[in-house]
Amino acid sequence: MILVTGGAGYIGSHCVISLLEKKYDVVIFDNFSTGHKETVETLSNYGKVKLVEGDLNNYQDIKSVFENNKIDAVIHFAAFSQVAESVKNPQKYYLNNVCGTLNLLRAMLEFDVKKIVFSSTAATYGEPEYIPIDEKHNQNPINPYGQTKLFIEKIMDDYDKAYGLKSVRLRYFNVAGADEQIRIGEWHDNETHLIPNILKSTFGSGKTFQMFGEDYPTKDGTCVRDYINIEDLVNAHILALDYLNRGGETNFFNLGTNEGSTVKEVFSVCEEITGKNIPLEVKGRREGDPASLVADNSKAKSVLGWNPEKTLENSVDSAYKWESKLQNM
């Protein structure tokens, strides 16, 4: 049985549906601060999934999951992940992300569960020193969110050395898209991601998409990001779990496509997929936005056998279909 923390959220729910399709039994642990109970109801149609509502900051909540279920491994998504919010309220991020993970690891040790796949981030690298970014790149986060993820990675190294707790840390670049069958998708009450925000501008009246900065040293002046499809991303988690089950050592991998797209290119794809002229307002740069972030994904390919297959167009198409469904819910 696999414990998925944050399994009612965007990435966690897609991972759960993939696990269920591969006949794993799953326990979702979520406090629903950003996830949705409706998502769990959908997931329950596709396999054996159990929901435990609780908070990682309450040790008894997470301990009870291990007491009442035979957990074989953990996939850990539960975290706050808004960069701007982490700058304004770092305490919220350190308490939730770091202290919550410490409680999870404590429970794993208490019940002798020694395998965890961890949702990390490219934000641990900070300002890129070179592109594409490989796993040898220095880790020097420039915001509290990235710091919390790096702290957890370092904690996991110490837990491996001291207790033999094996981890795979997956450093995401920009995740995009929805389940191809449009059963679930990205559903944030305060959406900050580029693609759903562009697509939201095609619904309702008068909403204008704001583009920040067109004077970057890139081919069209807008920021370049590496957009990895959600289904490709969760496939890497399944492969990471298989890697640990085969006795793999603690490791870390970038998850990206090895290609970058500018904001203007993404905007054009969104107009093409939706068939709409999307109202646009260009504003000044946002503080802390690097010009380019692109992954070198060769390590994940060679060690995990992972190979992302979906295009930016695939991601935008599924995201638009999901957004259309969400607008009618």
Side-chain angles (χ1 to χ4, degrees):
M1 181 172 277
I2 309 301
L3 169 62
V4 180
T5 66
Y10 171 42
I11 301 174
S13 63
H14 285 80
C15 188
V16 169
I17 214 164
S18 183
L19 288 166
L20 293 174
E21 287 174 343
K22 290 173 171 56
K23 307 305 180 185
Y24 283 99
D25 294 340
V26 177
V27 178
I28 292 174
F29 182 85
D30 206 297
N31 66 3
F32 294 102
S33 59
T34 57
H36 297 270
K37 290 186 177 178
E38 296 93 330
T39 300
V40 179
E41 291 171 6
T42 299
L43 295 173
S44 66
N45 295 321
Y46 300 100
K48 188 175 179 182
V49 58
K50 179 178 180 180
L51 170 65
V52 178
E53 186 170 356
D55 196 303
L56 284 177
N57 276 317
N58 184 330
Y59 181 65
Q60 201 56 47
D61 282 0
I62 188 61
K63 180 182 177 181
S64 69
V65 177
F66 288 87
E67 285 177 331
N68 297 320
N69 302 277
K70 179 63 179 76
I71 304 298
D72 300 300
V74 177
I75 305 181
H76 179 31
F77 297 100
F80 294 135
S81 60
Q82 303 301 325
V83 169
E85 182 187 48
S86 80
V87 175
K88 292 177 182 175
N89 190 4
Q91 177 173 261
K92 175 180 179 180
Y93 278 67
Y94 287 110
L95 287 174
N96 183 77
N97 295 6
V98 181
C99 296
T101 300
L102 283 169
N103 278 337
L104 173 63
L105 296 176
R106 176 185 168 190
M108 289 177 66
L109 292 180
E110 186 171 340
F111 290 87
D112 197 34
V113 178
K114 297 291 183 70
K115 291 175 287 192
I116 183 169
V117 178
F118 174 55
S119 168
S120 191
T121 173
T124 64
Y125 294 120
E127 292 284 355
E129 299 167 12
Y130 53 84
I131 298 292
I133 298 169
D134 60 21
E135 289 84 355
K136 295 176 183 176
H137 190 288
N138 288 327
Q139 288 182 286
N140 186 27
I142 59 173
N143 53 66
Y145 165 64
Q147 289 280 23
T148 65
K149 294 290 190 173
L150 180 56
F151 284 163
I152 293 166
E153 289 202 22
K154 290 181 179 296
I155 288 165
M156 288 178 170
D157 281 335
D158 292 337
Y159 276 50
D160 182 10
K161 292 171 187 172
Y163 312 118
L165 194 156
K166 304 299 180 186
S167 62
V168 171
R169 284 95 71 155
L170 299 174
R171 298 171 186 162
Y172 309 164
F173 282 67
N174 288 58
V175 188
D179 164 58
E180 194 173 49
Q181 298 179 50
I182 320 301
R183 296 167 293 185
I184 53 175
E186 190 164 8
W187 186 1
H188 298 124
D189 295 327
N190 180 28
E191 187 57 70
T192 61
H193 291 167
L194 176 67
I195 290 172
N197 270 330
I198 296 175
L199 295 175
K200 283 178 187 297
S201 299
T202 68
F203 298 93
S205 57
K207 185 174 172 64
T208 300
F209 172 70
Q210 294 181 331
M211 182 183 294
F212 294 95
E214 58 176 355
D215 58 348
Y216 287 94
T218 60
K219 58 185 173 182
D220 63 18
T222 60
C223 289
V224 173
R225 295 294 182 266
D226 187 336
Y227 294 92
I228 177 68
N229 180 271
I230 183 68
E231 293 188 314
D232 284 332
L233 184 92
V234 299
N235 184 44
H237 293 71
I238 307 302
L239 292 170
L241 185 62
D242 292 343
Y243 165 86
L244 289 174
N245 285 334
R246 295 193 308 270
E249 292 296 318
T250 289
N251 217 327
F252 40 86
F253 303 95
N254 288 340
L255 297 185
T257 65
N258 217 54
E259 296 179 2
S261 300
T262 69
V263 175
K264 285 183 178 178
E265 287 173 334
V266 173
F267 187 82
S268 293
V269 171
C270 288
E271 288 196 322
E272 182 183 335
I273 294 293
T274 63
K276 297 179 180 179
N277 292 318
I278 301 171
L280 172 66
E281 178 186 6
V282 178
K283 307 194 78 170
R285 293 188 189 189
R286 290 182 301 194
E287 185 179 354
D289 272 350
S292 184
L293 289 173
V294 178
D296 180 333
N297 62 12
S298 55
K299 184 179 176 184
K301 286 183 173 181
S302 64
V303 177
L304 297 179
W306 178 67
N307 192 40
E309 298 176 350
K310 294 183 182 293
T311 64
L312 176 63
E313 287 77 9
N314 294 148
S315 294
V316 171
D317 183 61
S318 61
Y320 182 56
K321 288 173 180 173
W322 167 253
E323 188 63 40
S324 300
K325 182 176 180 178
L326 205 56
Q327 291 287 331
N328 294 315
M329 286 175 69

